Amino acid sequence: MGLIDKKIIDNKRTSRLFWNNTAMVVFFLCTLVGLLVLAMLIYDTLNDGLRFLRWDFITNFASARNVEVSGFYGAIIGSLWLMLVTAPVAIILSVSTALYLEEYARKGRVTDFIKINISNLAGVPSVVFGLLGLGLFVRAMSMGNSVLAAGLTLALMILPVIAVASQEAIRAVPSSVREASIGMGATKWQTVSRIVLPAAIPGIITGIILALSRAIGETAPLVVIGVPTTLLRTPSSVMDPFQAMPMQIYSWVKMPQHDFSDLAATGIIVLLAILLAMNSVAIFIRNKFSRKY
Amino acid sequence: MTKNYNVQEMIDKNKSNSSNTIEKLIPTILFLITSISILATIAILYILASESIEFFRRIPFIDFITGTDWRPYSGDAQYGIWALISGTFRIVIIAAIFAMPIGLGAAIYLSEYSSDTIRRIIKPILEVLAGVPTVVYGYFAINFVTPILRSIWSEVDLFNAISPGIVVGIMIIPMIASLSEDAMSSVPRAMREGSYGMGATKIETTFKVVIPAAISGIMASFVLAISRAIGETMIVSIAAGSNPNFSLDITSTLQTMTAFIVQITSGDTAFGTDIYYSLYAVGLTLFFFTFLMNMISIWISKRFREEY
């Protein structure tokens, strides 16, 4: 027998150890809830939607009468147009904001105010951004329910997401790298544009892709702006009306006939596949190119 | 004959005027672009406020803020915001009851119990769950959760508060889990080891040391998640119906603030009618609530932060 009798101690700890192990199981189950829901969601949509998933679905316009020939073509092309407006605007706005805040801004009230403002903007519900788009772009600037109006609205909506991700990426570049560049005689902007930005670019691109995949699935602002549910042509300029994938899915879900609800599931399969591809690219870039200092 | 080199002159010569102008212009340009984010906030406030003022010119503010009847389409139209607030409230409460324990439990497991391998598998899955578009969650609510609920509880209508409430809860779980996990992971190891050294079990350490130390981050994640639930639109538009009523009934149809905005804008409401302006009054109320929540979350994380 040693100095400490393990048996006595374990006897005293039995109930405590029991709670410890039960709790671990409970917490593990909590973690599984997410996985389980994702599995059910994917099973449910595949189960309902697979029967309409044919090549026609990708190449046909939507039809409100015949489920068999109804398709997703207008919605896919419309969403692409939307991203062509949203992506450049959002990237220019948010990366510049991040560069200013991290590299140039002096500590003080103005900078604090800008930071709080950005985190507040991130918390504004998407439907309120829709009201902003309706009041500002659609009516005041009379853009109508065009690609441009919706694209600018979504760009403002994802601005805080990309800005925060870019700020983190820029902050992760160590100051020794900057000092080395300044020490070699480079100017501030030369350092920022040739040293800091290239080093931070993998993190920034990851943030951009994740934000765009959020924008591409966003429905509420498009409903508020008045994106049409049936439109049998694709836009030919940014001032044209358009269709979008989440919008089309929403209008199918709302239809009373059961077949259209299954068609919505087919649309969801396509949308989720596109989102999954975008997310994989983002994760790949993050793992492959992110440099550790 | 020797030529004298003056280094200072050479540097000055090489610093061309154009690069100097760029150096001076860049900060100004970047600042101007940065201020667009402030302009966006001002534009949101201006549009919501100016259109709401027009609404309150037609409908007395006191009726809006105290009324419990929301019937914009009927002959004597009623605009009592509490009917919509009570809808939002029911959804948020159900979502919070469902998501807070599960989200926190997942955060505890990921931060305190799981191995690195499991964490590396589960965290991307939670990210995927966070990236699912809300219209997809809406479809899931009406086509999967509602039928199951109705088969086990016959009083539940086709449109109800429980199904969208649960699904909104599912939507905010990843947010609570990942933000709370961040807060708990940043509690220094030494504190845990101190607790283990005193003979505490893992669960005791978690509840008596780690969670109290990370409480500011955890509370902030709850508040942010509630703010997200208040603003959630598509799930409630699809699965909660469009019948505003002031009650605590969770088995029958209701309408939230966000769902009202979607219902009106997806129809053909003419510009300039009372209903059109009511959109902005509801939007302003919605903005007020989410703004309040965001401010509370910022305040919590500043006020209760413990620095180690």
Side-chain angles (χ1 to χ4, degrees):
Chain A
M1 209 175 92
L3 203 57
I4 298 171
D5 192 339
K6 196 169 180 299
K7 241 187 195 164
I8 297 176
I9 291 178
D10 276 351
N11 270 339
K12 287 203 171 169
R13 306 205 311 158
T14 315
S15 73
R16 290 169 63 205
L17 283 179
F18 171 76
W19 282 117
N20 188 44
N21 295 334
T22 322
M24 191 183 102
V25 174
V26 171
F27 295 146
F28 182 64
L29 291 178
C30 289
T31 316
L32 281 190
V33 168
L35 300 176
L36 202 68
V37 169
L38 194 62
M40 285 192 295
L41 196 152
I42 290 171
Y43 167 79
D44 184 42
T45 37
L46 287 180
N47 197 24
D48 294 345
L50 264 187
R51 70 189 171 106
F52 289 121
L53 191 61
R54 293 183 228 107
W55 188 243
D56 284 358
F57 183 76
I58 309 286
T59 55
N60 281 4
F61 278 105
S63 158
R65 285 191 209 90
N66 193 345
V67 196
E68 292 298 324
V69 298
S70 191
F72 217 36
Y73 179 70
I76 296 174
I77 301 297
S79 280
L80 274 178
W81 271 89
L82 194 57
M83 288 305 112
L84 280 181
V85 174
T86 301
V89 176
I91 292 169
I92 291 171
L93 289 185
S94 46
V95 175
S96 305
T97 302
L99 277 180
Y100 177 77
L101 287 177
E102 289 303 313
E103 298 292 329
Y104 286 98
R106 271 182 239 114
K107 281 209 166 85
R109 286 230 187 105
V110 180
T111 310
D112 280 352
F113 180 71
I114 294 174
K115 282 181 180 165
I116 289 187
N117 177 59
I118 286 176
S119 71
N120 257 318
L121 215 51
V124 173
S126 59
V127 69
V128 173
F129 275 103
L131 288 176
L132 168 72
L134 179 65
L136 183 66
F137 299 129
V138 177
R139 295 223 186 275
M141 297 187 180
S142 53
M143 295 179 190
N145 52 2
S146 62
V147 178
L148 189 61
L152 292 178
T153 308
L154 290 185
L156 288 182
M157 194 191 79
I158 61 172
L159 186 159
V161 185
I162 307 180
V164 169
S166 307
Q167 270 180 283
E168 275 168 15
I170 293 169
R171 215 176 296 144
V173 179
S175 52
S176 59
V177 181
R178 291 187 185 84
E179 280 155 12
S181 167
I182 300 274
M184 296 298 288
T187 62
K188 178 88 182 169
W189 175 242
Q190 284 169 340
T191 307
V192 169
S193 62
R194 296 183 200 170
I195 306 292
V196 178
L197 208 51
I201 217 79
I204 294 177
I205 289 182
T206 309
I208 290 171
I209 296 177
L210 291 180
L212 285 182
S213 71
R214 197 185 139 196
I216 214 169
E218 194 61 64
T219 323
L222 301 185
V223 180
V224 176
I225 284 173
V227 172
T229 47
T230 44
L231 186 71
L232 295 182
R233 61 195 158 90
T234 52
S236 49
S237 83
V238 289
M239 294 314 288
D240 285 347
F242 68 105
Q243 247 301 348
M245 287 190 281
M247 209 42 219
Q248 183 67 63
I249 292 169
Y250 176 59
S251 73
W252 280 334
V253 169
K254 287 297 244 184
M255 284 198 177
Q257 302 94 322
H258 187 259
D259 274 348
F260 277 104
S261 143
D262 285 358
L263 203 59
T266 318
I268 289 174
I269 295 173
V270 175
L271 178 61
L272 285 184
I274 291 172
L275 289 182
L276 195 67
M278 289 173 77
N279 275 299
S280 313
V281 172
I283 290 172
F284 174 76
I285 291 176
R286 182 167 62 192
N287 292 344
K288 173 96 192 191
F289 295 105
S290 67
R291 244 185 284 171
K292 286 260 187 292
Y293 288 95
Chain B
M1 225 183 82
T2 55
K3 198 176 176 196
N4 287 322
Y5 289 101
N6 186 334
V7 176
Q8 185 64 45
E9 268 174 19
M10 286 168 72
I11 292 177
D12 284 345
K13 221 171 95 189
N14 274 339
K15 269 194 190 167
S16 62
N17 280 331
S18 69
S19 82
N20 253 339
T21 342
I22 289 178
E23 285 302 319
K24 274 178 197 145
L25 267 180
I26 289 288
T28 322
I29 294 173
L30 289 181
F31 177 75
L32 287 180
I33 298 178
T34 303
S35 52
I36 288 179
S37 67
I38 295 176
L39 286 183
T41 309
I42 294 174
I44 290 176
L45 283 174
Y46 174 76
I47 283 171
L48 290 180
S50 63
E51 307 282 56
S52 295
I53 287 171
E54 177 57 34
F55 176 72
F56 293 132
R57 247 186 230 134
R58 301 164 178 217
I59 312 292
F61 179 70
I62 196 79
D63 291 356
F64 176 78
I65 207 73
T66 57
T68 56
D69 229 2
W70 188 270
R71 282 183 282 121
Y73 283 119
S74 76
D76 78 305
Q78 295 290 320
Y79 293 94
I81 188 68
W82 284 100
L84 295 179
I85 292 180
S86 98
T88 299
F89 180 76
R90 275 173 272 171
I91 298 288
V92 169
I93 290 293
I94 295 170
I97 290 174
F98 186 74
M100 281 179 182
I102 294 180
L104 185 59
I108 292 173
Y109 183 79
L110 288 175
S111 138
E112 305 299 313
Y113 288 91
S114 79
S115 63
D116 269 356
T117 331
I118 292 182
R119 199 175 308 135
R120 231 174 289 147
I121 297 169
I122 289 181
K123 284 201 92 173
I125 294 176
L126 284 180
E127 275 175 37
V128 170
L129 207 59
V132 172
T134 52
V135 69
V136 177
Y137 277 125
Y139 173 85
F140 183 65
I142 192 93
N143 277 299
F144 193 81
V145 180
T146 303
I148 290 178
L149 274 175
R150 274 156 69 86
S151 68
I152 52 179
W153 187 3
S154 55
E155 279 170 48
V156 176
D157 293 340
L158 177 61
F159 296 116
N160 58 70
I162 314 172
S163 165
I166 290 175
V167 176
V168 170
I170 290 170
M171 184 196 79
I172 59 177
I173 283 176
M175 191 176 183
I176 296 178
S178 88
L179 289 178
S180 300
E181 204 245 82
D182 286 348
M184 286 160 66
S185 306
S186 62
V187 174
R189 240 193 119 61
M191 293 185 65
R192 290 189 186 86
E193 277 159 7
S195 169
Y196 295 146
M198 300 298 287
T201 61
K202 214 157 207 181
I203 182 77
E204 288 160 354
T205 307
T206 302
F207 277 104
K208 290 177 185 166
V209 176
V210 179
I211 290 184
I215 197 71
S216 73
I218 293 172
M219 295 299 286
S221 84
F222 284 175
V223 176
L224 278 183
I226 287 177
S227 165
R228 175 73 67 82
I230 293 175
E232 169 42 41
T233 311
M234 297 322 290
I235 300 173
V236 287
S237 299
I238 292 172
S242 49
N243 182 16
N245 54 73
F246 182 73
S247 72
L248 287 175
D249 183 8
I250 56 170
T251 57
S252 56
T253 171
L254 55 88
Q255 190 167 45
T256 65
M257 293 184 272
T258 51
F260 171 73
I261 296 176
V262 162
Q263 186 204 353
I264 298 305
T265 48
S266 59
D268 319 306
T269 303
F271 173 75
T273 57
D274 289 359
I275 295 181
Y276 173 80
Y277 287 112
S278 78
L279 282 180
Y280 291 90
V282 174
L284 189 64
T285 317
L286 184 63
F287 182 82
F288 170 76
F289 277 111
T290 53
F291 180 76
L292 195 69
M293 286 294 164
N294 293 332
M295 278 313 185
I296 290 176
S297 120
I298 291 175
W299 178 76
I300 288 177
S301 43
K302 272 203 179 138
R303 174 74 180 72
F304 297 104
R305 164 161 293 153
E306 307 220 4
E307 300 277 359
Y308 299 105

